[in-house]
Amino acid sequence: MSIQPFFAWFQQHDGFIDTEAMDVIQFPDSEGGRGAVALKDIPEGHTVFFIPRSLVLSTRTSTLPSRFGMDAWKGFGLHEGWSGLMLCMMWEAALGAQSKWSTYFDVLPTTFDTPMFWNDEDLAELQGTCVVEKLGRDQAEKDYNDKVLPAVNSRPDLFVPSDIPTRYSLSTYHLMGSRILSRSFTIEITDDARQHAGDMDAGNTSIVSSGSAMDVDEPKPADGNSCENDHHPDHHAPEPGRDDQAEHGQEGEGEEGGESDEEEEVAAEVVMIPLADILNARYQSENVRLFYEPDCLKMVSTKPIKAGEQIWNTYGDLPNAELLRSYGHVDWLPLPTPFEGEFGNPGDVAELRADVLVQAVAAQDATKTMEQLEERIDWWLEEGGDDVFLLDMDTEDDDEEGHSTSKAKAHSELEIPSTILAFTRLLVSDTDWARAKSKGKPPKPVADAATLRIVHAALVRRLAAYPTTLEEDRCIAADAAKIQVLSVNKRHSLVVRLGEKRVVDAFRGLVERTLRDAEVKEQKEKKENGAVGTGKRKGGPGEKAGNGSKKAKK
């Protein structure tokens, strides 16, 4: 549909758009599809648009929770996770023109390319990646059957029974979940904000982002707290303190940097923000950010934008696995060192599960029983240790605005994660295990040969989990003709697999090089220790030289 009816609706509800500076057009799929474009040169610090809080769609701005009754709402568990917001969205959509957000629903996507909706054949292409186990489809269906459907059936006055098979179906629930996953934002809600909003969800701190929702920044000091429009002085900004707004608590004038003596409790809330969610994102291409104001949310340029350029928001420079899982697309950009000449996402990472390290130990050390290993694993987890280790080739720095920027490390700059070494030491060394239990501290991350052999074996196992080899995927990616014959899903799977494999293989190479050095050191120590014991022992005649030699260190 045309974007103009949406623009008109947005402005009628006190939203502001600088229509002289931006528009929404259809970009090529490689550029994200529909997105915002600069119609003229936009300077840094320019407000491209702002959204009044009353137009943000959440469990606090929808009237459904209050009509349902907050005690009953919490009784069905709808205050936890995303199920409450998903039900609010289904209900608002079912209201049609009676809903304030009806025009907003008209521009939301109705189909998705995310793996949540793939068939088994296409999902098999993602074998070995961290995407499949994070889809969350089973948990979503459990929430629907255990919480949402019983709640809907309990209130025929709110949910028309004849609408349940369609407007409140499981497929509609999945659709709303995908909209949240791909287009939501996370904002902070303070105790003071709850009071201004009628305390509808006081004490609710369980609504959190899955990690894919876009964050909203605190306002820049230079921006002030006003959402008045400089271009249109007669524009009416929403009144602060309205009941349907999520007010941002004002800080007191304490002794430490203007903060109050007692910090407010802050909770994260996942919300839908019309217009802001139309902007696309790409690795390190961000040129605007959404800033948090007391009575609105402002999209402000963070650098100059040339006329004709796309206006990019940020997802936090996510790896392709997360981009595909949440948004249904991948980044295909020229890669820096150490992968010059290849394409992909410079922010790609890989995961090494703890159980892969356990399998490597069990395969190489027959003296360790699974019962012994499980005891050590339980201790590690109880002490707060990770069960999944991140392999990350990025190094983060802060830019002038305080935002983190990242760049890929060269092979020579990589380091084996200390948590992997510490966990492996816990599994391999009986001495370290005994010391860890007595002191309540994990082992030191020592990169000795015994530890590195296990880590190397685990990384080899990790690479073997994919349906194809790194060389096979590189061969396909380098051949344009081979890529073109692949379906979109298989092409995206190839890109995700290739990105993860590059990272795993880079760390495998690092461990292999480090292991060679450790083995040279180990052999040198054996020779030195053997030489120390070659002299004759003091004792009776007839003793052979070397009987008193020390055992080589293991």
Side-chain angles (χ1 to χ4, degrees), residues 21 24 54-55 77 93 104 107 109 121 225 258 282 298 323-324 334 355 391 436 442 449 496 499 501 513 518 550:
V24 174
S54 59
L55 211 52
Y104 174 48
V107 299
E121 179 184 351
N225 290 328
R282 187 175 64 187
K298 297 170 64 175
L323 289 177
L324 180 62
D355 65 306
L391 303 175
V496 170
K501 288 178 192 176
R513 294 189 298 273
K550 296 180 180 178

Side-chain angles (χ1 to χ4, degrees), residues 39-151:
L39 298 178
K40 64 178 183 179
D41 290 353
I42 299 175
E44 180 179 353
H46 182 78
T47 299
V48 182
F49 57 84
F50 65 69
I51 308 100
R53 292 197 175 279
S54 59
L55 211 52
V56 172
L57 176 53
S58 72
T59 56
R60 291 158 29 83
T61 54
S62 172
T63 60
L64 176 61
S66 60
R67 292 189 182 190
F68 195 88
M70 285 311 301
D71 288 341
W73 188 264
K74 292 180 179 180
F76 282 103
L78 296 173
H79 64 299
E80 298 175 335
W82 289 1
S83 56
L85 178 56
M86 292 160 76
L87 180 55
C88 285
M89 291 174 66
M90 289 194 290
W91 184 72
E92 295 288 349
L95 290 177
Q98 297 178 43
S99 170
K100 176 168 62 177
W101 291 280
S102 61
T103 306
Y104 174 48
F105 282 106
D106 289 340
V107 299
L108 287 176
T110 57
T111 59
F112 288 88
D113 294 324
T114 54
M116 172 75 80
F117 300 97
W118 289 12
N119 58 39
D120 291 342
E121 179 184 351
D122 287 344
L123 282 176
E125 296 290 321
L126 290 171
Q127 177 186 325
T129 71
C130 61
V131 176
V132 178
E133 61 190 33
K134 294 183 179 181
L135 291 181
R137 190 179 186 92
D138 291 342
Q139 182 60 48
E141 293 183 0
K142 184 177 187 303
D143 286 344
Y144 174 80
N145 289 312
D146 293 352
K147 299 195 293 188
V148 175
L149 191 57

Side-chain angles (χ1 to χ4, degrees), residues 40 87 97 117 136 175 219 221 247-248 302-303 349 364 369 372 386 414 420 490 506 523 536 539:
K40 64 178 183 179
L87 180 55
F117 300 97
L175 173 64
E247 286 283 302
H248 181 52
T302 57
K303 62 182 68 173
V349 300
Q364 292 195 22
T369 66
Q372 290 174 323
D386 296 327
L414 286 179
I420 291 180
K490 290 185 177 181
Q523 291 300 318
K536 291 184 178 180

Side-chain angles (χ1 to χ4, degrees), residues 160-178:
V160 180
S162 60
D163 283 346
I164 295 177
T166 53
R167 298 184 183 276
Y168 301 100
S169 66
L170 178 59
S171 61
T172 304
Y173 185 73
H174 280 313
L175 173 64
M176 296 305 176
S178 292

Side-chain angles (χ1 to χ4, degrees), residues 268-336:
E269 182 182 23
V270 174
V271 302
M272 303 294 290
I273 304 180
L275 186 57
D277 58 11
I278 287 180
L279 273 60
N280 292 316
R282 187 175 64 187
Y283 183 85
Q284 292 193 356
S285 297
E286 163 209 335
N287 49 27
V288 294
R289 269 184 181 259
L290 193 61
F291 289 93
Y292 196 103
E293 299 287 352
D295 50 5
C296 73
L297 298 163
K298 297 170 64 175
M299 190 66 77
V300 181
S301 56
T302 57
K303 62 182 68 173
I305 307 171
K306 295 290 186 182
E309 290 182 348
Q310 183 162 182
I311 300 174
W312 298 98
N313 198 0
T314 178
Y315 297 154
D317 292 338
L318 298 175
N320 273 336
E322 188 62 27
L323 289 177
L324 180 62
R325 183 183 75 88
S326 301
Y327 308 105
H329 71 85
V330 294
D331 281 345
W332 188 246
L333 305 169
L335 295 177

